[in-house]
Amino acid sequence: MSDLREIALTSNAWPFQEARALFNEKLGGKIPEKGYVLFETGYGPSGLPHIGTFGEVVRTTMVRRAFELLYPDIPTKLFCFSDDMDGLRKIPDNIPEKEMVAQHLYKSLTSIPDPFGCHFSFGSHNNNLLRSFLDSFGFDYEFKSATDYYKNGLFDKAILNVLAHYDEILDVMLPTLREERRATYSPILPISPKTGRVLQVPLISTDAEHGTVTFDDEDGTRTEISVTGGQCKLQWKADWAMRWYALGVDYEMAGKDLTDSIKLASKICAILGGKAPHTFIYELFLDDKGEKISKSKGNGLAVEEWLKYAPQESLALFMYQKPKTAKRLYFDVIPRTVDDYLNFLTAYVRQSDADKLSNPVFHIHDGKPPKAESALSFSILLNL
């Protein structure tokens, strides 16, 4: 393995390039004080896991495994973090009991009854789907819930830090907002003690010394509450930055559409006294007409559709190849990607160690691809 490590130190395969950049640029060539390197992926549990969820976790895992090969003495962790404290802003199309859920709009997802009737809350229902989805692919991760972190006080110190730097964070955020939004914007969102809704309201005053904020509740009652213990949550860009700071996140991926948000969150993280993670910006998927894939439009492919016709290894290959290039994701891509996977798998056994580290199947299978003979049985079985 030491020989492979020497080769990996100069390999052009993008997971190794990312791992080296993480170690040298973010970590400064040192083990973090917390004793491990933290990789993170985020998930908004108002909908079902989708092909982008798979892509982000599998790519992050590839970088994590590359890092472990390069720096075997440094422990790593992967947190899959669910933003289940977010308020529900609209009713999803694919759920039962829409009228019941409509009565709980703007409440945290974990405060809304499960419309499917099988979990304590809507948020916990979708969290369970996420964990089942990730487990079905064998990902190695630790699941984290925003509700747990907010309500159990794990974010209290960081939120109090946000409150102490409230005006500085406003100075970062306000220039990026439309004029009408500036009048009501606050990075701290109080949760109404009367209705349980996450409120998008201006704060009347903040008190960093006592850790409280004052606002007008929905019925007009002037109310003062603590920012700790889950009585408030943060707007998502401030929330993202606070999470980086509180957890010490070292690496996170994001789609190209979040480039500006990463810049803002990085500034806020620095205000809090933290250092933003090393970030990898990947391109978004396009449909067969070259248009951006949207869940609401229903264009593009679902994970289930891909796996109906091909193994998950081929989907992992699609995610591995050219992550910084916009790629079309539609049915005809599947057989071509399966053929590519079989070719890479067949070639692997004949390659030098240097070429093996650049072969996608090395990263798809964590350095242990199946024997080449299985490629033929794969091809016959799929009959694509």
Side-chain angles (χ1 to χ4, degrees), residues 5 7 30 33 57 68 88 92 94 103 105 116 125 132 141 149 164 171 179 181 200 250 271 283 287 293-294 320 351:
R5 180 181 181 276
I7 298 170
K30 301 177 182 178
E33 290 184 8
V57 179
E68 291 171 339
L88 183 66
N94 56 350
Q103 298 174 27
L105 273 177
F116 296 90
H125 177 91
S132 297
Y141 69 97
Y149 270 75
D171 289 341
E179 184 175 353
R181 185 69 183 95
Q200 300 267 354
D250 297 302
I271 289 171
E283 267 287 359
D287 64 13
I293 284 179
S294 166
Y320 175 90
Q351 291 179 317

Side-chain angles (χ1 to χ4, degrees), residues 46-109:
S46 59
L48 300 176
H50 53 85
I51 203 162
T53 309
F54 172 83
E56 191 162 313
V57 179
V58 75
R59 286 168 172 166
T60 302
T61 297
M62 289 175 180
V63 177
R64 180 188 180 192
R65 298 310 180 204
F67 187 95
E68 291 171 339
L69 174 59
L70 285 166
Y71 313 105
D73 296 329
I74 305 178
T76 68
K77 294 184 179 183
L78 170 60
F79 285 2
C80 183
F81 202 97
S82 172
D83 289 309
D84 55 15
M85 273 282 283
D86 288 357
L88 183 66
R89 296 187 179 185
K90 64 178 182 179
I91 308 300
D93 293 329
N94 56 350
I95 64 169
E97 303 292 341
K98 290 185 175 64
E99 291 185 4
M100 180 276 290
V101 174
Q103 298 174 27
H104 298 277
L105 273 177
Y106 305 109
K107 291 183 181 179
S108 296
L109 292 157

Side-chain angles (χ1 to χ4, degrees), residues 17-31:
Q17 291 180 330
E18 283 296 293
R20 293 195 300 265
L22 166 60
F23 182 71
N24 294 317
E25 298 171 14
K26 172 62 170 72
L27 303 178
K30 301 177 182 178
I31 300 176

Side-chain angles (χ1 to χ4, degrees), residues 6 22 64 84 143 147 175 194 199 226 240 291 293 311 339:
E6 290 299 316
L22 166 60
R64 180 188 180 192
D84 55 15
F143 178 79
T147 299
K194 296 182 178 179
L199 303 180
S226 171
W240 205 8
E291 297 180 358
I293 284 179
D339 286 344

Side-chain angles (χ1 to χ4, degrees), residues 107-126:
K107 291 183 181 179
S108 296
L109 292 157
T110 45
S111 298
I112 300 173
D114 180 12
F116 296 90
C118 50
H119 292 84
F120 177 74
S121 69
F122 188 28
S124 59
H125 177 91
N126 285 345

Side-chain angles (χ1 to χ4, degrees), residues 128-204:
N128 183 71
L129 290 177
L130 171 66
R131 298 178 73 169
S132 297
F133 176 83
L134 297 177
D135 291 344
S136 70
F137 294 106
F139 287 121
D140 175 23
Y141 69 97
E142 295 180 37
F143 178 79
K144 302 296 179 181
S145 159
T147 299
D148 290 342
Y149 270 75
Y150 272 100
K151 292 192 173 182
N152 293 329
L154 300 175
F155 279 158
D156 281 358
K157 183 178 178 181
I159 296 171
L160 288 170
N161 196 12
V162 170
L163 184 60
H165 294 88
Y166 186 84
D167 290 336
E168 295 170 72
I169 294 172
L170 277 183
D171 289 341
V172 170
M173 289 302 306
L174 292 182
T176 70
L177 304 173
R178 295 189 300 271
E179 184 175 353
E180 62 273 17
R181 185 69 183 95
R182 292 178 199 167
T184 60
Y185 178 83
S186 169
I188 298 174
L189 304 178
I191 298 176
S192 170
K194 296 182 178 179
T195 67
R197 293 181 180 179
V198 181
L199 303 180
Q200 300 267 354
V201 295
L203 298 184
I204 305 302

